[in-house]
Amino acid sequence: MLDHDVIIVGGGLAGSRAALEIAGLLPGINVGLIAKTHPIRSHSVAAQGGIAATLKNVDTQDSWESHAFDTVKGSDYLADQDAVAILTQEAPEVVFDLEHRGVLFSRLPDGRIAQRAFGGHSHNRTCYAADKTGHAILHELISNLMACGVTIYDEWYVMRLILEDNQAKGVVMYHLLDGKVEVVRAKSVMFATGGYGRVFNTTSNDYASTGDGLAMTARAGLPLEDMEFVQFHPTGLYPVGVLISEAVRGEGAYLINSDGNRFMHHYAPSRMELAPRDITSRAIAIEIGKGRGIFPNGSPGGPFVYLDLRHMGREKIMSRIPFCWEEAHRLVGIDASIQPIPVRPTVHYSMGGIPVNTHGQVRRNSQELVDGFFAAGEAACVSVHGANRLGSNSLLECVVFGRRTGTAIASSVITRKLPDLDEAHYLKEAHHQIQSLLDQRGQYRIAEIRQAYQDCMTSFCGVFRSSALMEEGLMQLRQIQSRYGQIRLDDQGSCWNTELIEALELQNLMVVGELILFSALNRKESRGSHAREDFPERDDNNFLHHTLAFYSSAGIEISLMPVVISMFHPQARQY
Ligand SMILES: Cc1cc2nc3c(=O)[nH]c(=O)nc-3n(C[C@H](O)[C@H](O)[C@H](O)COP(=O)(O)OP(=O)(O)OC[C@H]3O[C@@H](n4cnc5c(N)ncnc54)[C@H](O)[C@@H]3O)c2cc1C
């Protein structure tokens, strides 16, 4: 058994920022950080557009209160406002801290950090490193981490959370290199395992975004919060779904339909292309639905609209958003300085997740916390994004709440002892799970079942939803799930058995997908990213609350949790 004072699962922005905080506050503490990829390959590295903070370098009229208001309005009033106040007040400090740790932000001519416009933000407050912001931040954090003695377990796959008597005691992990299984015991456990975009068939997320941390938490009997809120990013590159950053619209690109019209005029006249993502994604879906999409040959009625950068000029494109130009060029052969880019909504971000308080402590239910268990980043729901996240608020959340969670862990871990646990029991169980998967001689391939599942989620729980659609979806999901027992793995080996990992990830996808669909069925209103054709209005009387969904093999149960409303009273949301 491996022992650590603290074990962190996830080496993205949230996990690495927390690890740095703990190591900085308690030098000599024994922190372990596990990632199923190399930490530098965490999805955070792909973040493009930037990180929001009211530095007032470009817009002197900006304030944290204005950032907070934009965030709460963007969330369709479902965000917890105490958490939003922390997020926006601490933002400038965490950005300067990143800079002091070595992050190279893009600059204004006078040398101060540059800031650009972003969807739903009323001021230019998004700090960036060209369109490679995640890359710039994550590389610095990881190299800082390596210098401060944190033990990194890269390419170890965590299979389960050890939770006994409402106390997190450690995790069980599998080494991709040689198939070794280890139990890790710790005084505190933190999950920073990122999102679940791969539950759907078209996503901007990487292959590793399979919601493992969420599924492990749900299987341990703990709730997941607000899972119905799935963010569709308006501009996924057609047909692959890869992200074309909102920074492109922040820098001035237009959205146009088959008639050549800037259709956002009908949906958000004051914000146009910089309306929040839920509104812009719905606008694109409606345009496509009404036959004003475009086909690859340029004729009307097709599956995408155009993102038009041509008026911006080559020089601006190449200096501000070079990566997006490169993506369109490399993946679909388009030179965006002379041709419009084909785009449509793509699954991008998970507003819901493991419920936590503002110190990153995981909730057992609406009143109680779990002992020694923490979460932050996209896997967690604190909830600063409510029903719809604003762009550039997620990197910020990872850094602000990664740091806060690190502080909370550091102050609690000193007085804690290593827990007692039965290592042999957990090892036996993990070996049994792996061996039974390898022994299965069914007729289905993993990719076949995964594709069917992702297609089902996309068809029945997409941008627009209804009871009839989702009930049918849930029935089909359960049929697909029942085939899991009949999958067949070709690779029986223990060295780099990525097929086995895919089988374990598929099991997690299935838990997460069912929780999303079930939570969505229960929310009989439209709010933020959750748009119901059968309940088109927001209903504050009956649904201004968070959903807590508890998973068990017998079924899912829903309970409610109040929203913290301390600054801004809910109003109609117009742009
Ligand atoms: C293409 C793209 C662009 C984006 N651009 C922006 C932007 O400009 N601004 C912004 O604010 N947000 C942006 N976002 C969102 C933002 O990048 C993410 O929400 C954020 O980086 C998530 O960080 P994280 O630390 O929570 O998780 P991640 O960075 O996803 O890291 C998850 C970690 O958990 C590990 N892990 C997961 N499961 C297991 C397991 N079973 N065992 C072991 N390890 C495991 C992974 O290996 C990884 O290290 C973007 C997202 C995408 C997809």
Side-chain angles (χ1 to χ4, degrees):
M1 184 154 65
L2 299 166
D3 285 343
H4 282 282
D5 291 320
V6 182
I7 195 76
I8 298 177
V9 187
L13 242 58
S16 55
R17 186 63 191 81
L20 272 179
E21 196 63 20
I22 301 166
L25 289 170
L26 301 174
I29 192 176
N30 175 7
V31 181
L33 183 143
I34 311 171
K36 65 177 173 177
T37 51
H38 187 281
I40 282 177
R41 289 193 51 232
S42 304
H43 188 60
S44 294
V45 84
Q48 300 177 354
I51 174 166
T54 50
L55 304 187
K56 305 184 202 181
N57 288 352
V58 171
D59 201 332
T60 51
Q61 300 305 308
D62 202 3
S63 64
W64 76 263
E65 289 91 342
S66 162
H67 187 184
F69 176 71
D70 292 344
T71 302
V72 170
K73 182 179 176 189
S75 82
D76 221 346
Y77 294 90
L78 194 72
D80 284 326
Q81 298 183 13
D82 55 341
V84 172
I86 291 170
L87 180 86
T88 50
Q89 278 174 306
E90 292 187 7
E93 193 185 317
V94 296
V95 168
F96 291 136
D97 173 74
L98 288 174
E99 190 191 34
H100 296 160
R101 290 177 190 272
V103 177
L104 287 170
F105 288 104
S106 294
R107 301 279 153 180
L108 294 169
D110 66 7
R112 289 174 306 150
I113 295 175
Q115 298 189 275
R116 60 166 50 123
F118 239 73
H121 291 278
S122 57
H123 295 273
N124 287 15
R125 63 168 73 103
T126 297
C127 313
Y128 57 93
D131 51 1
K132 302 174 186 177
T133 313
H135 189 272
I137 302 178
L138 190 62
H139 276 248
E140 278 314 324
L141 290 187
I142 301 293
S143 55
N144 274 271
L145 255 192
M146 293 183 137
C148 68
V150 171
T151 309
I152 297 182
Y153 297 93
D154 57 339
E155 290 161 343
W156 282 82
Y157 180 87
V158 173
M159 301 171 62
R160 83 165 278 180
L161 165 70
I162 300 177
L163 181 85
E164 292 173 0
D165 308 323
N166 196 39
Q167 183 189 354
K169 296 186 169 179
V171 295
V172 181
M173 65 181 187
Y174 171 92
H175 199 190
L176 266 102
L177 182 70
D178 56 11
K180 187 166 188 214
V181 176
E182 287 275 10
V183 170
V184 188
R185 180 168 63 154
K187 297 174 187 169
S188 291
V189 178
M190 175 180 173
F191 273 13
T193 47
Y196 57 59
R198 292 282 153 192
V199 168
F200 293 82
N201 68 13
T202 309
T203 176
S204 65
N205 289 190
D206 75 9
Y207 285 99
S209 300
T210 50
D212 298 341
L214 279 71
M216 286 188 270
T217 305
R219 269 201 291 268
L222 300 175
L224 295 184
E225 182 175 347
D226 291 343
M227 291 300 284
E228 59 273 36
F229 298 106
V230 178
Q231 179 160 77
F232 291 80
H233 193 292
T235 55
L237 182 65
Y238 176 86
V240 279
V242 161
L243 187 75
I244 299 293
S245 172
E246 194 167 295
V248 176
R249 281 170 288 134
E251 295 292 351
Y254 301 149
L255 282 167
I256 53 176
N257 62 17
S258 60
D259 301 331
N261 290 331
R262 284 179 71 188
F263 54 85
M264 285 309 294
H265 173 69
H266 300 294
Y267 302 92
S270 72
R271 299 291 300 165
M272 293 294 286
E273 281 83 359
L274 288 178
R277 293 177 175 170
D278 53 341
I279 294 173
T280 314
S281 288
R282 277 195 291 277
I284 296 176
I286 292 171
E287 289 296 308
I288 292 171
K290 292 202 164 153
R292 294 192 289 269
I294 303 154
F295 279 112
N297 66 7
S299 61
F304 58 78
V305 295
Y306 280 140
L307 182 65
D308 193 353
L309 289 65
R310 291 173 292 185
H311 57 284
M312 288 166 55
R314 199 173 180 84
E315 198 185 320
K316 184 170 180 186
I317 294 173
M318 289 315 200
S319 66
R320 302 280 180 84
I321 42 170
F323 183 66
C324 291
W325 181 90
E326 189 187 311
E327 272 185 313
H329 194 251
R330 184 165 39 89
L331 296 170
V332 292
I334 282 194
D335 176 351
S337 64
I338 51 172
Q339 292 165 290
I341 306 178
V343 293
R344 67 170 172 181
T346 185
V347 168
H348 184 59
Y349 184 81
S350 149
M351 264 79 70
I354 305 167
V356 291
N357 68 10
T358 53
H359 298 287
Q361 293 170 288
V362 175
R363 297 181 194 277
R364 182 185 183 190
N365 51 43
S366 59
Q367 275 106 38
E368 294 163 290
L369 300 170
V370 184
D371 194 22
F373 190 27
F374 297 82
E378 191 168 341
C381 181
V382 56
S383 131
V384 286
H385 311 302
N388 172 63
R389 169 176 80 92
L390 296 189
S392 70
N393 266 353
S394 169
L395 293 182
L396 180 61
E397 179 198 2
C398 288
V399 184
V400 167
F401 288 97
R403 184 175 78 151
R404 285 179 74 83
T405 306
T407 311
I409 294 176
S411 59
S412 70
V413 79
I414 323 169
T415 55
R416 295 174 69 86
K417 292 199 181 67
L418 276 172
D420 290 328
L421 63 81
D422 182 354
E423 182 196 13
H425 163 77
Y426 289 105
L427 282 179
K428 190 172 157 205
E429 188 194 66
H431 285 299
H432 175 74
Q433 187 186 358
I434 293 168
Q435 202 52 49
S436 8
L437 270 170
L438 295 176
D439 288 346
Q440 262 177 222
R441 301 267 31 93
Q443 73 265 42
Y444 295 112
R445 315 303 301 260
I446 295 169
E448 214 177 312
I449 297 193
R450 187 176 53 217
Q451 188 68 50
Y453 197 87
Q454 292 168 329
D455 289 346
C456 182
M457 283 300 294
T458 307
S459 308
F460 297 102
C461 201
V463 174
F464 290 104
R465 301 161 172 187
S466 71
S467 273
L469 206 59
M470 289 189 286
E471 268 158 18
E472 170 67 23
L474 205 52
M475 205 184 70
Q476 290 198 20
L477 275 194
R478 288 180 176 147
Q479 277 170 5
I480 300 168
Q481 276 162 353
S482 69
R483 289 182 224 147
Y484 188 84
Q486 297 158 52
I487 55 173
R488 178 182 83 243
L489 274 67
D490 287 335
D491 190 347
Q492 299 288 309
S494 54
C495 176
W496 277 101
N497 192 339
T498 50
E499 200 184 15
L500 176 67
I501 299 299
E502 284 183 36
L504 296 170
E505 287 175 339
L506 176 58
Q507 216 167 27
N508 291 334
L509 285 184
M510 289 179 160
V511 170
V512 173
E514 193 177 343
L515 280 159
I516 294 172
L517 200 42
F518 199 84
S519 305
L521 248 172
N522 264 275
R523 187 174 282 275
K524 298 186 174 65
E525 65 157 354
S526 290
R527 183 186 297 271
S529 66
H530 177 66
R532 297 234 356 197
E533 288 176 317
D534 43 356
F535 298 98
E537 301 300 326
R538 191 175 88 192
D539 177 357
D540 287 345
N541 289 333
N542 295 307
F543 289 99
L544 185 53
H545 55 63
H546 298 292
T547 307
L548 292 181
F550 293 80
Y551 179 87
S552 79
S553 47
I556 296 170
E557 275 182 36
I558 300 281
S559 76
L560 311 177
M561 193 166 67
V563 178
V564 179
I565 298 175
S566 47
M567 289 184 287
F568 311 110
H569 195 71
Q571 358 170 328
R573 185 168 165 251
Q574 275 159 356
Y575 290 94

